[in-house]
Amino acid sequence: MMVLAIAALMVVPATADELADAMARADALNFFNSIGLEESQAQRMIAPVQRIRDLVQQHEQTSHQRLQAMTGTLQQARALLLAGQELPEGMRLAIANYREHREQARLTLMRAVDQEMSLIEDILYPDQNAMLDWTPPDSVRPKESVQQILEQQQIAMGRIQRAAQMLDRVKHLDPFNFVTARTPIVNDFLAMYFEPGTRRWERARRAAIDATDQARMLTEDQWQANALDVARDLIDRLGLMPTFEPERRPGAISWDALYRLFTSPATLEVLKELPDAR
């Protein structure tokens, strides 16, 4: 077993052949089509995916250099083990340290890639993210502390209160000003979170308009009792509600699959080839 373990340390990952590259490109294109990726999203996604590619290349280069430096030691250890001899203490420590450093480097890479993946998550719309599970293993992104959860709750409450204030303003407009002022009030609110003119902006505007209609239909007593609930529902529909304690979602594309997708060189190539992505 020890011989096999040392042999595994000496294996350098093979370069993907043409068939594997073609399959990876097909997987990336199929993924983007399945979530309905828009051209504007593809353009914004290139930068974080490029940074992921740079991180992976740096990791591979450093890993190769470390392996090269250890090759002699690993070959000696393999020869000793095949001859039925025990490894000297110094050699065992050197191999153990190499394994530890290799695992730590892999974890460091995964954490750095996860940060870029979080930016990609922000580029996608709520309905797209509903198909994806961005929750990494705890070793990659430890669960949030109580303090972090409290901070997220404060962010959520602030957004709900701003939505309630916007809805309250629209609700109490007189009939004439309702026609002329509702849209500017809604637009001012949405501009805090969305880029005007995008598909996401239009979807958000429709949701906000629906919420103002709902608020107008409530009596004053009903509004006072339910204003925060209506505002909370709007924030949820807009995809602006922070996730306090994310959990893995059955049926969604897993974080591991997303990690493999975005660390694949083919994914960046496909992104750049999409219409108007350059």
Side-chain angles (χ1 to χ4, degrees):
M1 292 295 291
M2 186 66 172
V3 176
L4 293 175
I6 290 176
L9 291 175
M10 300 177 66
V11 173
V12 178
T15 302
D17 57 21
E18 292 182 1
L19 177 59
D21 181 65
M23 292 178 63
R25 291 172 62 86
D27 287 343
L29 186 58
N30 181 63
F31 171 78
F32 294 136
N33 287 336
S34 69
I35 65 172
L37 188 74
E38 295 184 351
E39 294 172 2
S40 61
Q41 291 176 307
Q43 186 174 11
R44 294 168 59 198
M45 200 178 287
I46 288 176
V49 175
Q50 178 66 66
R51 289 193 294 269
I52 288 174
R53 185 65 200 138
D54 294 342
L55 288 167
V56 171
Q57 289 180 326
Q58 180 60 47
H59 170 78
E60 290 174 345
Q61 180 181 355
T62 302
S63 297
H64 180 73
Q65 292 172 347
R66 287 175 176 165
L67 179 59
Q68 289 293 100
M70 278 292 295
T71 297
T73 300
L74 294 172
Q75 289 175 339
Q76 292 175 26
R78 184 172 182 274
L80 289 172
L81 291 170
L82 287 173
Q85 302 180 31
E86 292 188 2
L87 301 184
E89 180 67 19
M91 187 175 290
R92 288 202 301 270
L93 287 174
I95 293 173
N97 287 336
Y98 171 70
R99 283 174 171 163
E100 182 179 348
H101 288 156
R102 188 178 69 169
E103 180 59 28
Q104 185 58 49
R106 185 185 70 86
L107 187 57
T108 298
L109 172 65
M110 293 174 72
R111 287 172 175 169
V113 170
D114 179 61
Q115 292 180 1
E116 299 297 338
M117 287 170 60
S118 295
L119 299 179
I120 295 172
E121 179 184 6
D122 291 340
I123 292 171
L124 301 181
Y125 303 131
D127 59 325
Q128 294 170 320
N129 281 322
M131 296 183 279
L132 313 175
D133 186 348
W134 296 98
T135 309
D138 291 345
S139 59
V140 174
R141 193 196 308 165
K143 291 184 177 180
E144 293 182 332
S145 66
V146 173
Q147 179 61 35
Q148 289 172 318
I149 292 175
L150 289 175
E151 291 173 356
Q152 292 289 80
Q153 290 175 337
Q154 290 176 347
I155 292 173
M157 184 51 65
R159 291 175 179 176
I160 291 169
Q161 289 174 343
R162 283 191 289 273
Q165 291 168 359
M166 179 273 291
L167 293 171
D168 189 74
R169 286 184 63 193
V170 174
K171 176 176 176 56
H172 293 102
L173 290 171
D174 60 58
F176 174 78
N177 285 318
F178 176 75
V179 175
T180 59
R182 174 167 68 164
T183 296
I185 292 174
V186 168
N187 288 348
D188 286 344
F189 167 73
L190 294 178
M192 292 188 286
Y193 308 107
F194 303 101
E195 181 181 353
T198 62
R199 176 189 158 199
R200 193 176 186 186
W201 168 274
E202 292 302 323
R203 290 164 58 91
R205 192 179 65 82
R206 287 195 296 271
I209 292 296
D210 289 345
T212 60
D213 287 340
Q214 182 181 356
R216 295 277 290 191
M217 292 175 62
L218 296 175
T219 67
E220 190 61 33
D221 288 343
Q222 290 173 330
W223 173 244
Q224 293 302 322
N226 297 284
L228 288 180
D229 290 335
V230 177
R232 183 181 290 105
D233 288 344
L234 174 58
I235 292 299
D236 209 20
R237 287 185 63 188
L238 295 176
L240 297 173
M241 188 66 72
T243 302
F244 302 119
E245 295 183 80
E247 296 180 355
R248 297 186 181 278
R249 299 195 308 276
I253 298 176
S254 69
W255 183 92
D256 294 323
L258 293 169
Y259 179 87
R260 290 193 296 272
L261 174 78
F262 289 115
T263 53
S264 169
T267 300
L268 180 61
E269 295 171 3
V270 170
L271 266 179
K272 291 181 176 180
E273 292 169 2
L274 291 176
D276 296 335
R278 291 185 179 86

